[in-house]
Structures are given as C-alpha cells and as structure tokens.
Amino acid sequence: MLFNSCSIPATDPENNEVDDVETIHLSICVLGNSYSCDSFSYLPFILKEYGITTNIHIYFRGNGSLHDLSEQWYDSSQTSVADIDGGQRYRLHFSIDTRKEDKWIKDKLMSAHDMLMLEKWDIITLQQGGNRAKIPETYVPYLQDIINHIDSVCNYKYVRTWFMAYNNASENSKEGSCEASLSTQFDITHNYPFDLVLPVATAVFNCQQTETLAVLGDSRYKRMYAPDNEHLQEGLPCYVAALTIAEAILRKYKPECSVLGNKIRPTSSWIELVNGILRDGESTGVNEYNCNLAQCIAFYSNDHMYEISY
C-alpha cells in the first residue's frame, strides 16, 4: 500500500491546532450518490484546519447503488436507465482542490472509469445506495466487480460506511434498519479487502439516541433528515457526518490529532461561502453545545464502528 510521503506535523495538545509545519495532501475519489455529497460537503474545510489539503472529486449518481456503478462504469451521459429501481437517474460531478480553491465547483461530466484515471488517488470511497445498505445480496457480485476495476488502475481500495435513509415510518426502528444495516456492513467490510472504514452510519444512528440532536431536521420521526426525509439536513447533521470521516482520516494520517475541539461552524452563511453541494434544507442545530456533542459522537463512533451505543 502506497501513501503520500510527507512529514507528520507537531500539534499543541491543549487546543488541537496544527502549528506552522509542512502539510499533507490527499487525493480522494468519491464514487457514490447524493448521500456521499451529504457526508463529504464539509470535509475538505475541516481537514484543512489540521494541515491536510485535499483534492476531492465526487462522482454522483442519483440514488446510485453498487449495481448501478458496476453496470454504468464507462457511461458518462447525464442520465441513463438505473438498476433495480428502474427509471432515469442523473449524474453530476463536484470537485475541490483546497490548495488553490476555497469552495466546491460543479465539474464536467465523466464516467467512473475516467474519473479513476484522473490521477493517482490516495483514497477511493464506495457507497451503497439507500435501503440496499442492509441487504447483503445487493452487494454481490457488484462490489467485487468494482474492486476489480479499481485494482486495474491503482492499489488503493478504501470504503466508507454508508448511512441508510429511511423511506417510510415503518422502517424507523433499530431492529428493522439501524442494526440490520450495521450488521451487513460489518460482514461486508470484513469479507472484502478494505483498508479504511468511515462509520457515518454509526454516527448518524448514535445522534438519533440523543435528545438534542435526534430532533434536528425531522422532528416527527427523529431522524436528522431534511424535509425530503432522505438526506441529512444542512448544519449539525451534515457536520457530524463530515467529522466522522475526518476523524477516520486523521487517525490514518495524523494520529496525534482528533476532531475534538474543531472550530468549523456550519452556519448558513458559511455554507453559502464554501458553496455547499446539495443544500438540503436550512442549516440547523449549530451552537457550541451541539457542535461539541457532534465531535464527541464522531470520535466515539470511530472507536465503536458497529455499535449504536452512545
């Protein structure tokens, strides 16, 4: 396994801020769907606070699944027939390089194959779509097909744990959704050659166990989702997802750092400034207590990736 060669910076353990040292740069290819955008929208700005610049490209298929990604690997059209759901699904491409840019841009369309060929990636992430996350049969044989594609151009095989959106109230139970989703992901991430797991699902489900964060976004079902009942609401919900990914990356590349004490505050004005990708609902829940709680949950969820126990 190859990694970028760079020095590890010194930090002040009291405030977790990076001193004036050489930075690390990571190239990250995100092969996923709109849920990937929810999770990664704030990430490059959080990581930059710790001296990690990033070049991130997000391949975005609406409601895209692993089946869809495998079948449409060489397709660069904006819309095409989707997989088991049927119908038309759109494709988008977002990118940012924080060495020279301070906001996301909408980039030109390309296939997953072409995106993979753009450069030598440090991290490649995969994400299962929607309710399929808890169904083991929806991973086979598509996940292995995608891994074979990745192996053909580089040595990196990384995965992020997807969170599962609830599409109706009957699924809003631990037994029916959360624990089934994490159980499936445990099996998948232990049976395939993944080097890094980003436990966003665990963090979101743990947030739903707290009185203050559970009601953000969707107060009726306590799901942290935007008005469409699927995507994470802007503000605290998207913030905790990005913090969780950032914590996993910091543990890999800067283990002396953590997201505890992070200074980013995703207010509406901040989201506008960085050109947040999807803008799912208004920014909600951003205050010091909630942000500190989100950081603790992100940290804890990386320690206990497959447990809903916060």
Side-chain angles (χ1 to χ4, degrees):
M1 183 62 66
L2 302 175
F3 298 100
N4 276 353
S5 176
C6 53
S7 62
I8 299 296
T11 60
D12 179 352
E14 294 298 321
N15 58 25
N16 202 36
E17 293 180 354
V18 178
D19 295 333
D20 184 18
V21 297
E22 184 180 355
T23 61
I24 292 174
H25 180 73
L26 297 176
S27 293
I28 304 175
C29 179
V30 180
L31 301 176
N33 48 48
S34 55
Y35 301 154
S36 307
C37 296
D38 291 349
S39 300
F40 280 83
S41 186
Y42 306 167
L43 179 68
F45 314 103
I46 292 174
L47 289 178
K48 195 169 183 179
E49 295 284 304
Y50 299 93
I52 299 179
T53 59
T54 51
N55 178 29
I56 303 178
H57 286 255
I58 298 179
Y59 171 93
F60 171 176
R61 281 298 306 275
N63 197 33
S65 67
L66 296 174
H67 181 178
D68 185 46
L69 179 61
S70 175
E71 294 294 317
Q72 304 293 328
W73 188 257
Y74 297 98
D75 186 353
S76 60
S77 61
Q78 185 169 15
T79 60
S80 60
V81 176
D83 56 351
I84 57 178
D85 282 343
Q88 297 290 317
R89 301 300 179 195
Y90 55 92
R91 178 183 283 102
L92 295 171
H93 174 197
F94 297 100
S95 66
I96 185 172
D97 187 336
T98 57
R99 293 171 298 184
K100 56 186 178 181
E101 298 159 348
D102 57 7
K103 62 179 62 178
W104 287 97
I105 62 172
K106 190 174 180 179
D107 218 326
K108 65 180 181 179
L109 294 177
M110 62 179 61
S111 67
H113 171 267
D114 290 342
M115 186 173 293
L116 209 63
M117 299 297 291
L118 284 177
E119 64 175 274
K120 188 173 183 179
W121 302 101
D122 298 295
I123 299 173
I124 297 172
T125 74
L126 303 174
Q127 180 166 359
Q128 180 62 296
N131 291 335
R132 302 177 190 86
K134 64 179 180 179
I135 305 173
E137 293 77 14
T138 65
Y139 296 81
V140 181
Y142 316 110
L143 184 52
Q144 187 59 56
D145 292 342
I146 295 167
I147 291 173
N148 291 341
H149 282 304
I150 294 174
D151 277 345
S152 69
V153 296
C154 65
N155 294 325
Y156 306 107
K157 300 181 292 294
Y158 285 71
V159 69
R160 64 178 300 274
T161 299
W162 33 88
F163 64 86
M164 195 202 74
Y166 303 104
N167 292 324
N168 57 66
S170 65
E171 293 184 2
N172 190 27
S173 66
K174 277 189 181 181
E175 293 75 13
S177 294
C178 302
E179 292 181 352
S181 179
L182 295 186
S183 175
T184 297
Q185 291 166 36
F186 176 86
D187 292 339
I188 293 297
T189 54
H190 283 75
N191 291 330
Y192 288 87
F194 299 133
D195 302 294
L196 182 67
V197 176
L198 311 178
V200 176
T202 311
V204 171
F205 296 153
N206 276 326
C207 285
Q208 292 167 357
Q209 309 306 307
T210 70
E211 292 183 4
T212 55
L213 300 187
V215 297
L216 297 178
D218 184 345
S219 59
R220 181 181 179 186
Y221 297 120
K222 298 184 178 180
R223 300 184 300 198
M224 294 186 71
Y225 296 142
D228 65 4
N229 291 328
E230 286 199 19
H231 293 102
L232 289 178
Q233 178 95 4
E234 294 289 350
L236 248 294
C238 285
Y239 181 57
V240 75
L243 285 171
T244 304
I245 298 174
E247 179 65 27
I249 290 175
L250 286 173
R251 292 184 182 196
K252 188 80 171 180
Y253 293 95
K254 286 195 172 183
E256 75 279 9
C257 297
S258 84
V259 297
L260 299 176
N262 179 261
K263 304 301 182 185
I264 294 290
R265 296 294 178 265
T267 61
S268 295
S269 58
W270 181 87
I271 295 168
E272 183 72 25
L273 186 66
V274 302
N275 197 25
I277 300 175
L278 289 185
R279 313 287 180 89
D280 289 311
E282 296 296 321
S283 178
T284 184
V286 179
N287 59 49
E288 288 304 303
Y289 176 82
N290 285 351
C291 287
N292 290 333
L293 180 56
Q295 293 162 17
C296 291
I297 289 175
F299 186 91
Y300 180 88
S301 298
N302 273 276
D303 282 341
H304 307 276
M305 290 190 177
Y306 304 100
E307 300 174 15
I308 308 169
S309 57
Y310 189 81

